[in-house]
């Protein structure tokens, strides 16, 4: 893997695609600085290695041209404080000002370019626009994994202008390495745990994982499409009628591949979608009319925990129930704790996807799993088995 560690940056200008797409409040203050903090190690390393560092990012979804509420100028103070140096700013990501400021950068200095998406050429993947950005620097670093599944000018197209001088930053390198470790180099038994609301959007993931795992655990709302496909009674639970055949095919594929598919035996059912609903534990294929399954039941929790504790590799995406409501969070809490405990015993665990990351953070287990992917859509496409254009562009 090409990373910044093995490259000589002395006296060079490097253009770095970072992800500074952070939330701002009405006063244009950063309300969650996670993404800025995450970019700091790569930037500081480049400065230490003697590079003049040019940072480029998108912020929000501006429609046509510049809009103050999407200006990266708003994060300048925050970024300067975190880097311990005054970061310079160019009011346009291309053009004379950017060129002059980039050319004047001294080793260790940092220049932030204005929002790339003020140009529609960015998301269109325009080659001329990418070339103008490339013209600012001698080397290219991609450290924005969250946009790696998009063939945008700054995430993919630009790489062709640096055939021998392109590499991953630490953030992106870690994501690629950890997801590859699970998908391509996993120790056995390998168990994937999938939850969340729906099967749709996860079909490709299920299909790809069935080629790789020993065990596939299904929980969350998506379990009921499988249970109904097997002929069970699901009451008012979330079901995707149009995916019943897809669920049947997945079950057949699992059997053919020798993958053990774990579908919950019991569920916690509620008489309405409310934390204070009446609730009872029922067999997962006998949810009474008027009731809906909102969490996995106690027998299922025990089965899942045992499978998890006996695994050497774990991939978890999606909550086991409606964990935002305390009365339906037990399944997700137990699975999160089991993943953490298995990791403590030596298993490698990767947690990814918005809600499972939220769960791991909520239960304070983020340091007890091997790796938490922040990649969102990029991470999901990666585990679907797709080649991410931003990754391929650097690796080619
Ligand atoms: P996803 O975005 O597909 O990962 O889905 C996450 C959401 O699924 C969370 O907001 C959960 O509340 C929801 N969810 C999990 N289990 C269930 C269930 N049994 N019924 C309805 N929603 C659920």
């Amino acid at each position: 893997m090409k990373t910044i560690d093995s490259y000589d940056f002395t006296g060079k200008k490097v253009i770095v695609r970072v992800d500074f797409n952070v939330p701002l409040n009405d006063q244009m203050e950063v309300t969650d600085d996670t993404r800025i903090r995450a970019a700091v190690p790569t930037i500081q390393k480049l400065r230490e290695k003697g590079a003049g560092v040019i940072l480029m990012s998108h912020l929000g979804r501006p429609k046509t041209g510049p809009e103050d509420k999407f200006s990266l100028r708003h994060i300048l103070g925050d970024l300067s404080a975190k880097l311990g140096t005054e970061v310079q700013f160019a009011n346009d990501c291309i053009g004379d000002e950017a060129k002059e400021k980039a050319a004047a950068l001294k080793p260790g200095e940092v220049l932030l370019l204005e929002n790339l998406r003020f140009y529609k050429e960015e998301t269109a993947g325009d080659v001329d626009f990418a070339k103008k950005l490339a013209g600012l620097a001698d080397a290219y670093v991609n450290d924005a994994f969250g946009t790696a599944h998009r063939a945008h000018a700054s995430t993919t197209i630009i790489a062709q202008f640096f055939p021998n001088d392109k590499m991953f930053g630490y953030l992106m390198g870690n994501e690629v390495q950890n997801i590859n470790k699970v998908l391509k180099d996993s120790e056995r038994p390998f168990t994937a745990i999938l939850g969340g609301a729906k099967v749709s959007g996860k079909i490709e993931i299920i299909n790809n994982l069935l080629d790789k795992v020993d065990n596939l655990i299904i929980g969350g709302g998506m379990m009921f499409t499988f249970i109904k496909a097997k002929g069970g009674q699901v009451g008012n639970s979330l079901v995707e009628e149009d995916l019943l055949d897809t669920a049947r095919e997945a079950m057949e594929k699992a059997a053919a591949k020798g993958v053990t598919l774990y579908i919950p035996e019991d569920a916690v059912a509620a008489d309405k979608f409310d934390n204070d609903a009446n609730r009872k534990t029922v067999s997962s294929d006998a949810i009474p009319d008027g009731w809906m399954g909102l969490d996995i039941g106690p027998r299922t929790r025990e089965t899942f925990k045992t499978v998890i504790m006996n695994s050497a590799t774990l991939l978890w995406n999606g909550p086991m129930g409606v964990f935002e409501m305390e009365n339906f969070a037990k399944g997700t809490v137990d699975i999160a704790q089991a993943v953490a405990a298995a990791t403590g015993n030596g298993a490698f665990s990767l947690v990814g996807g918005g809600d499972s990351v939220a769960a791991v953070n909520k239960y304070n287990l983020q340091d007890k799993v091997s790796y938490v992917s922040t990649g969102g859509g990029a991470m999901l496409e990666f585990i679907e088995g797709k080649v991410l254009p931003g990754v391929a562009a650097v690796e080619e």
Side-chain angles (χ1 to χ4, degrees), residues 116-194:
L116 295 160
R117 291 204 190 159
F118 287 169
Y119 288 88
K120 63 176 182 346
E121 286 84 350
E122 162 63 1
T123 50
D126 185 81
V127 178
D128 280 339
F129 178 70
K131 193 174 180 183
K132 285 178 189 154
L133 293 168
L136 301 174
D138 309 299
Y140 168 66
V141 169
N142 191 348
D143 210 17
F145 183 71
T147 47
H149 56 319
R150 305 276 178 246
H152 293 170
S154 68
T155 63
T156 302
I157 310 303
I158 189 173
Q160 64 190 271
F161 299 105
F162 300 95
N164 302 309
D165 307 281
K166 54 184 181 178
M167 58 222 107
F168 296 123
Y170 291 136
L171 202 59
M172 180 136 170
N174 274 336
E175 291 274 346
V176 172
Q177 221 163 10
N178 281 294
I179 302 175
N180 269 338
K181 186 176 159 93
V182 165
L183 293 183
K184 296 190 178 153
D185 194 21
S186 51
E187 270 185 54
R188 314 245 137 206
F190 176 8
T191 300
I193 309 148
L194 293 182

Side-chain angles (χ1 to χ4, degrees), residues 19 35 61 144-150 175 179 201-202 204-205 317 352-355 357 373-389:
D19 179 4
R35 288 181 173 153
R61 291 170 181 262
F145 183 71
T147 47
H149 56 319
R150 305 276 178 246
E175 291 274 346
I179 302 175
K202 296 198 176 156
E204 303 297 330
I205 294 175
N317 171 267
D355 279 309
V357 175
S373 170
T374 54
M379 136 103 192
L380 295 182
E381 288 197 18
F382 211 152
I383 57 175
E384 280 171 17
K386 292 198 180 128
V387 174
L388 304 188

Side-chain angles (χ1 to χ4, degrees), residues 223-235 237 239 241 244 248 251 283-289:
M223 70 192 241
F224 295 106
T225 300
F226 284 85
I227 290 165
K228 182 150 190 191
K230 290 204 295 178
Q233 301 291 314
V234 298
S237 306
V239 166
E241 297 284 346
L244 293 174
R248 272 182 216 112
M251 291 187 275
S283 176
S284 63
D285 59 1
I287 312 272
D289 283 343

Side-chain angles (χ1 to χ4, degrees), residues 142-351:
N142 191 348
D143 210 17
F145 183 71
T147 47
H149 56 319
R150 305 276 178 246
H152 293 170
S154 68
T155 63
T156 302
I157 310 303
I158 189 173
Q160 64 190 271
F161 299 105
F162 300 95
N164 302 309
D165 307 281
K166 54 184 181 178
M167 58 222 107
F168 296 123
Y170 291 136
L171 202 59
M172 180 136 170
N174 274 336
E175 291 274 346
V176 172
Q177 221 163 10
N178 281 294
I179 302 175
N180 269 338
K181 186 176 159 93
V182 165
L183 293 183
K184 296 190 178 153
D185 194 21
S186 51
E187 270 185 54
R188 314 245 137 206
F190 176 8
T191 300
I193 309 148
L194 293 182
K198 293 180 170 180
V199 182
S200 55
K202 296 198 176 156
I203 297 162
E204 303 297 330
I205 294 175
I206 294 172
N207 268 327
N208 190 39
L209 289 177
L210 284 174
D211 291 326
K212 301 183 190 299
V213 300
D214 301 296
N215 307 302
L216 179 59
I217 288 178
I218 303 275
M222 67 194 279
M223 70 192 241
F224 295 106
T225 300
F226 284 85
I227 290 165
K228 182 150 190 191
K230 290 204 295 178
Q233 301 291 314
V234 298
N236 286 4
S237 306
L238 198 66
V239 166
E240 288 166 284
E241 297 284 346
D242 53 331
L243 292 180
L244 293 174
D245 282 339
T246 306
R248 272 182 216 112
E249 283 161 24
M251 291 187 275
E252 282 161 20
K253 182 172 175 183
K257 294 260 172 193
V259 173
T260 312
L261 194 58
Y262 289 89
I263 294 171
E265 310 143 64
D266 56 353
V268 180
D271 60 354
K272 57 180 179 210
F273 192 80
D274 191 309
N275 189 47
D276 300 322
N278 292 308
R279 33 180 219 282
K280 57 183 174 189
T281 297
V282 293
S283 176
S284 63
D285 59 1
I287 312 272
D289 283 343
W291 290 68
M292 60 189 93
L294 296 184
D295 196 7
I296 56 174
R299 273 193 296 145
T300 303
R301 294 200 300 264
E302 289 314 311
T303 309
F304 285 8
K305 279 195 273 186
T306 306
V307 177
I308 291 168
M309 292 309 292
N310 288 318
S311 298
T313 304
L314 293 156
L315 169 64
W316 178 27
N317 171 267
M320 294 291 102
V322 184
F323 77 109
E324 298 92 336
M325 299 181 196
E326 207 183 320
N327 287 329
F328 306 104
K330 190 92 183 77
T332 304
V333 176
D334 277 17
I335 267 41
Q337 284 173 344
V339 171
T343 312
N345 289 347
F348 182 84
S349 58
L350 173 74
V351 182

